[in-house]
Amino acid sequence: MSGKNFCLFIPLLFTLCSTTNGDLTGHLQPLGSQVPPVGDVLTLTEIPSPQEFFDQFVKPGKPVVFKGAATKTPAYELWTDDYLSSKFGEVKFDVEEGKKENRSRELFNMPLGEFLKSYKEKDIYLVASVPKIMRDDIYLLKCLLCGGFTDELQDSVMWFSNGGTKSVLHYDAIDNINCLMSGTKELFMVHKKEHAHVLIDKPDGSFSKVDVDKVDLQKYPGLADVPWYKANMEAGDCLFIPYRWFHQVRSYGPRNLAINIWFAHKLEFNSTDCEESPYKDKQFAPLSEFEVTESLGPGLPLLLLDEMEQKPIDEEKFLEIIKNLWNSEKLMKGEGIEVLKEIFKEIDTNEDSLISPEEVTGSSLDEYEQELMELFPRDGDEDDGEGDEDDGEGDDDGGDDFKDEGDVEDDDDENADIGRHEDL
């Protein structure tokens, strides 16, 4: 009798295990195959004014595709391989080996002319800041020409390959407009508030170690049902990627060339600048006419204010926000919680058990941030001795912690049935 029971138990156990694994739809499949997108990113055929851009997209954090916006920039027509080779062939750029982003690889430097001779046959990817000598050919869109956007332009980066590149799933702590000169791109985009779905297990680089070609749903279960939006870009399109939005990019060739502009995230629009700016009535302006200064990403005060959405918050909500922003298990235990509660009390100057945006603005939170960094370093800020595997991780911007183009492409990646769509 016992022998029969044992024999019956084995196939039953096998059946249960098989069924459980089979329910992981999209397991070990490309990112985006797990669940259909909830909608497509909004596409506009007209570029909004700076005020409209801020009110409708920057402030609420809403991505948008500006269809054909890049066709007016000189680079769109001029930047053929022959033109680039003849005019800028001696200019040296950082180049990555391998088009599936991996932030542990080192870059090597080569003249643009040499890159142009070999990129179509080799597995290489040019990712580098656009030098001043090339900025006359790049135009800023009118939505950036006043309101304070040009006061804090962070960088302009060129992304150049024969297609097939894939970025890691990541976020940037600054805003980004990416314009595509040739090729196509597909983006997987997730709202910045979906922390529970997206595991950023390399917080020092603001990215996930998930393999974007073979998503392990047992390790990253949140991606099984993450609400995501799809953005498609064709040559001539520009895409606004809001700061802290999670995204992953796939680019397609045979020639893929994009230029992006990073700019500091703002909580307020500078109306006075639009009244006085010489660019207020222009449709475009050369990037060469503006200062581009790379700097650190936003500090804790701005990040907290953005998460508060102009509303007072209580201590519980404050702790929740800091937990999502800081990525430190040590901070959220014992002594760390007590320190955060003390900070909350210091900010709450009127002692009403709430902190308002005004109280945060008038506080010394930036000084507390320095103390937190010393006492409770973010997970990953210290080298754990583990190298990054070639699993699609990394910044398409060449490795900066606070910014990344997000484009990654895979020529043989098939899209899942996306079903009913709603524009974001």
Side-chain angles (χ1 to χ4, degrees):
M1 179 67 72
S2 59
K4 290 182 180 179
N5 288 339
F6 178 77
C7 292
L8 289 172
F9 175 74
I10 296 300
L12 177 60
L13 178 62
F14 177 80
T15 300
L16 289 175
C17 291
S18 298
T19 301
T20 300
N21 289 336
D23 287 339
L24 294 177
T25 303
H27 181 56
L28 300 182
Q29 296 298 311
L31 184 64
S33 302
Q34 294 69 40
V35 62
V38 295
D40 293 330
V41 169
L42 177 68
T43 296
L44 297 179
T45 56
E46 298 289 335
I47 303 172
S49 69
Q51 181 75 65
E52 292 170 335
F53 178 57
F54 177 82
D55 291 341
Q56 298 174 24
F57 303 104
V58 175
K59 186 175 181 178
K62 182 178 180 179
V64 59
V65 175
F66 299 131
K67 193 69 178 174
T71 59
K72 303 300 182 181
T73 190
Y76 181 76
E77 294 289 347
L78 292 176
W79 282 17
T80 63
D81 287 0
D82 288 341
Y83 174 87
L84 291 173
S85 182
S86 63
K87 191 165 184 179
F88 308 114
E90 300 301 316
V91 180
K92 292 186 176 181
F93 289 91
D94 286 335
V95 176
E96 298 178 5
E97 184 175 3
K99 294 179 292 183
K100 185 174 182 180
E101 187 174 28
N102 184 322
R103 299 188 183 186
S104 65
R105 293 192 185 125
E106 293 185 3
L107 305 177
F108 57 96
N109 201 261
M110 68 163 59
L112 181 57
E114 183 179 335
F115 171 84
L116 291 168
K117 292 177 182 178
S118 58
Y119 82 95
K120 292 182 179 179
E121 288 76 36
K122 292 186 177 181
D123 187 24
I124 55 177
Y125 193 12
L126 187 156
V127 181
S129 295
V130 178
K132 290 183 179 180
I133 193 175
M134 300 177 71
R135 292 179 187 171
D136 282 343
D137 293 343
I138 301 171
Y139 280 0
L140 291 184
L141 306 183
K142 76 171 184 178
C143 60
L144 295 180
L145 293 183
C146 70
F149 294 116
T150 57
D151 293 338
E152 296 186 74
L153 297 178
Q154 302 286 301
D155 203 0
S156 175
V157 174
M158 178 165 63
W159 316 82
F160 201 167
S161 75
N162 63 8
T165 63
K166 308 163 196 165
S167 78
V168 294
L169 178 60
H170 66 282
Y171 70 84
D172 306 313
I174 46 182
D175 286 318
N176 178 8
I177 289 184
N178 186 302
C179 293
L180 190 57
M181 303 298 130
S182 59
T184 60
K185 290 185 184 292
E186 293 178 355
L187 286 90
F188 174 98
M189 305 187 71
V190 180
H191 197 286
K192 64 183 178 182
K193 295 192 177 300
E194 298 294 341
H195 305 283
H197 285 92
V198 183
L199 174 60
I200 298 297
D201 44 4
K202 288 292 289 184
D204 55 326
S206 305
F207 68 93
S208 172
K209 294 177 69 175
V210 64
D211 186 336
V212 299
D213 286 328
K214 296 180 180 179
V215 175
D216 186 342
L217 290 178
Q218 294 176 334
K219 186 175 181 180
Y220 300 92
L223 295 176
D225 59 353
V226 60
W228 66 282
Y229 294 87
K230 186 176 183 179
N232 291 312
M233 297 179 68
E234 298 178 333
D237 294 346
C238 293
L239 168 67
F240 169 59
I241 304 175
Y243 104 124
R244 297 189 68 82
W245 265 64
F246 306 104
H247 56 285
Q248 190 267 329
V249 190
R250 298 178 182 269
S251 304
Y252 302 90
R255 181 183 193 264
N256 196 284
L257 173 59
I259 300 165
N260 79 290
I261 304 292
W262 273 303
F263 51 101
H265 182 66
K266 292 185 174 297
L267 298 179
E268 296 182 356
F269 185 79
N270 186 345
S271 301
T272 302
D273 182 57
C274 282
E275 296 172 0
E276 302 173 350
S277 173
Y279 302 98
K280 62 182 180 181
D281 296 321
K282 293 188 177 181
Q283 298 296 308
F284 304 93
L287 177 61
S288 58
E289 297 183 12
F290 302 91
E291 290 293 324
V292 178
T293 305
E294 186 172 320
S295 63
L296 295 176
L300 190 56
L302 186 146
L303 294 171
L304 177 59
L305 286 167
D306 186 67
E307 292 291 326
M308 291 171 65
E309 297 181 331
Q310 303 301 312
K311 302 173 184 175
I313 59 173
D314 60 16
E315 183 182 84
E316 181 179 359
K317 183 64 176 178
F318 173 74
L319 294 176
E320 177 188 334
I321 291 174
I322 298 300
K323 176 183 178 181
N324 290 329
L325 292 176
W326 201 259
N327 291 310
S328 171
E329 291 188 10
K330 185 179 179 182
L331 178 63
M332 304 312 297
K333 295 178 181 178
E335 181 186 356
I337 292 293
E338 293 306 313
V339 170
L340 291 178
K341 288 182 177 180
E342 286 300 317
I343 293 176
F344 181 88
K345 290 180 180 178
E346 290 291 332
I347 299 174
D348 182 21
T349 54
N350 64 1
E351 300 181 351
D352 65 348
S353 299
L354 296 171
I355 57 174
S356 66
E358 292 76 19
E359 287 176 316
V360 172
T361 302
S363 73
S364 300
L365 188 55
D366 52 348
E367 296 179 11
Y368 297 135
E369 180 178 10
Q370 294 301 316
E371 295 180 17
L372 291 175
M373 291 177 68
E374 295 175 5
L375 296 172
F376 309 100
R378 292 179 175 89
D379 296 338
D381 279 355
E382 298 176 351
D383 188 0
D384 58 10
E386 298 179 6
D388 295 337
E389 298 177 359
D390 184 9
D391 59 1
E393 338 166 2
D395 269 340
D396 263 354
D397 61 6
D400 289 334
D401 288 352
F402 60 91
K403 59 191 179 183
D404 189 332
E405 179 203 25
D407 33 307
V408 181
E409 33 207 280
D410 188 357
D411 289 350
D412 55 9
D413 189 39
E414 296 182 1
N415 297 322
D417 178 14
I418 57 179
R420 184 178 65 84
H421 275 54
E422 299 175 359
D423 280 343
L424 177 66

